[in-house]
Amino acid sequence: MSTTAHRNFARLAGALAAAVALTTATPAQAVTPAQVTTSAQATAPTRSHAARIMVADSTPQPFRITYGASIAEGTVTFYNRSLNITGYVKAVSASRTVEFVGYNGNLSCYFDETRTASAGTTRTYGFDETCDVAGGFYAVDVYFPV
């Protein structure tokens, strides 16, 4: 199984575990939102300096995140059933990877892409993703994995 498939499985398992905790709790053992959040965070990878870009029809949505002196900056443009991501990642003293995770409301469309810049370099990126279901993508999370 690929690394991406493992990540997808882990994220789905975390979401399902949180949903099960909410739906199986009896009144005597009610689950608090904090417990669900803790459960979901325990299964999610560690992220640093994240940005969530939400749907806005055909309007470029800018993002800028930093990690030390490193920067990831760009735009996400949502279309009916696709999106376009452009920008750059600048690594200063160490190699830096920026990760993009896009999804729709029920996770039937999902992508996980990374771009890496070596220390002292800047790498540009530009790519498209398609979600061929009604409504298309819901959001894109951009972050530096740690």
Side-chain angles (χ1 to χ4, degrees):
M1 190 180 282
S2 70
T3 301
T4 300
H6 280 283
R7 283 190 202 127
N8 292 349
F9 181 75
R11 287 186 182 112
L12 287 173
L16 288 174
V20 167
L22 283 176
T23 58
T24 60
T26 63
Q29 65 184 101
V31 178
T32 67
Q35 289 169 316
V36 172
T37 302
T38 302
S39 172
Q41 289 172 345
T43 59
T46 304
R47 298 175 177 181
S48 178
H49 309 277
R52 173 162 289 157
I53 299 90
M54 304 297 287
V55 173
D57 295 329
S58 300
T59 304
Q61 299 294 310
F63 65 88
R64 176 182 166 84
I65 57 174
T66 59
Y67 186 177
S70 297
I71 299 169
E73 187 170 30
T75 60
V76 177
T77 305
F78 292 91
Y79 299 101
N80 183 29
R81 294 185 177 208
S82 64
L83 58 79
N84 173 265
I85 299 176
T86 59
Y88 69 91
V89 58
K90 178 181 178 183
V92 178
S93 60
S95 176
R96 287 284 180 242
T97 297
V98 63
E99 188 163 3
F100 304 90
V101 178
Y103 48 91
N104 68 344
N106 65 6
L107 296 180
S108 63
C109 287
Y110 186 92
F111 73 87
D112 189 341
E113 290 280 333
T114 60
R115 298 297 187 268
T116 302
S118 301
T121 67
T122 299
R123 178 178 180 189
T124 60
Y125 47 80
F127 61 94
D128 299 312
E129 293 289 341
T130 301
C131 178
D132 200 15
V133 297
F137 288 106
Y138 171 73
V140 175
D141 294 338
V142 183
Y143 63 94
F144 287 112
V146 280

